[in-house]
Amino acid sequence: MNHSCNPNCETQKWTVNGDVRVGLFALCDIPAGMELTFNYNLDCLGNGRTECHCGADNCSGFLGVRPKTACATANEEKAKNAKLKQKKRKIKTEQKQMHEDNCFQCGDGGELVMCDKKDCPKAYHLLCLNLTQPPFGKWECPWHQCDICGSPASSFCEFCPHSYCRDHEKGALVTSALDGRPCCSEHNPKAPVAPEYWCKIKRRLEQQKPEEEAKE
């Protein structure tokens, strides 16, 4: 009979008429034709271990080594599944934030400072921000703070960095003729920006629309 770390039989010592006998007894109901196995329980001496090839789920790997417990087998299975999940998991690539190519204050191109606020594409010249050096660390552009009190803005001019909080937004913006976009008092509602600058803004908005629809 072959050895198994998960046998269907066990050995028992019996004394019969004064002689020691070894009996084999079933540990469970064994279907007809199934191989009978028992645990050899051999002692391992030094490094001379014999590999076990029984194929049981709780196989210890060597004869004479205690079979794995159900808990150890379950933990091994979990670790195996975790490795498989790691392999299957797709690596998400961060989408690079796109910024406008023209200053949001004056509309010209050149060397620009980019807003670091998520999903804000605005960029500015240092001179338009009254700065001599680029801002340090994570920087949010003036468009996100109320012009009057500096609180987080809720209403924005679509043509310059002017913006207002809930307490100061009343009457600060009017609807312009360009796609109904709000504009502040510094712009003429009938023609808030130069035609060439509006073409650049419109092209940028058209590029953003497919990205927003894809996110939804």
Side-chain angles (χ1 to χ4, degrees):
M1 290 173 65
N2 284 324
H3 161 87
S4 175
C5 291
N6 187 23
N8 51 23
C9 295
E10 67 175 356
T11 57
Q12 295 180 15
K13 278 186 181 181
W14 284 53
T15 303
V16 181
N17 296 326
D19 294 324
V20 177
R21 298 281 187 255
V22 176
L24 287 158
F25 298 86
L27 291 169
C28 57
D29 291 334
I30 304 172
M34 179 177 279
E35 182 185 11
L36 301 178
T37 57
F38 71 100
N39 192 327
Y40 287 177
N41 287 319
L42 296 177
D43 288 330
C44 293
L45 299 175
N47 294 324
R49 297 194 298 180
T50 304
E51 286 188 14
C52 177
H53 302 285
C54 71
D57 291 337
N58 65 332
C59 181
S60 64
F62 297 93
L63 298 185
V65 177
R66 187 186 293 275
K68 297 172 188 175
T69 62
C71 180
T73 305
N75 288 340
E76 204 171 73
E77 192 68 24
K78 281 182 184 177
K80 188 179 177 182
N81 290 338
K83 281 184 181 178
L84 286 172
K85 281 182 183 177
Q86 260 184 343
K87 286 180 183 177
K88 289 179 183 177
R89 190 177 293 137
K90 291 181 181 177
I91 299 171
K92 291 183 180 178
T93 53
E94 287 187 9
Q95 290 185 348
K96 194 174 179 182
Q97 187 167 335
M98 301 297 291
H99 286 88
E100 293 174 357
D101 299 325
N102 301 88
C103 175
F104 190 42
Q105 179 68 49
C106 68
D108 293 332
E111 194 170 333
L112 304 171
V113 178
M114 314 296 181
C115 178
D116 291 323
K117 189 175 177 68
K118 189 179 179 183
D119 297 329
C120 179
K122 306 305 178 190
Y124 305 79
H125 293 119
L126 284 175
L127 287 176
C128 292
L129 294 168
N130 295 320
L131 296 175
T132 55
Q133 290 184 345
F136 179 78
K138 192 173 182 180
W139 175 75
E140 291 185 3
C141 72
W143 201 44
H144 305 293
Q145 291 88 38
C146 175
D147 285 7
I148 298 169
C149 66
S151 299
S154 57
S155 297
F156 309 88
C157 175
E158 292 284 340
F159 308 99
C160 74
H162 289 306
S163 55
Y164 306 91
C165 65
R166 294 189 185 281
D167 295 333
H168 298 109
E169 65 185 0
K170 191 174 181 180
L173 300 173
V174 294
T175 303
S176 72
L178 292 177
D179 289 355
R181 296 185 173 275
C183 65
C184 65
S185 56
E186 289 195 5
H187 306 279
N188 176 3
K190 293 180 181 178
V193 290
E196 61 272 14
Y197 183 40
W198 172 242
C199 287
K200 292 175 183 176
I201 295 174
K202 199 168 185 180
R203 189 160 53 250
R204 183 69 187 180
L205 292 170
E206 285 170 356
Q207 288 173 354
Q208 286 177 351
K209 276 181 183 178
E211 291 175 9
E212 289 170 3
E213 288 171 2
K215 284 181 184 177
E216 290 175 3

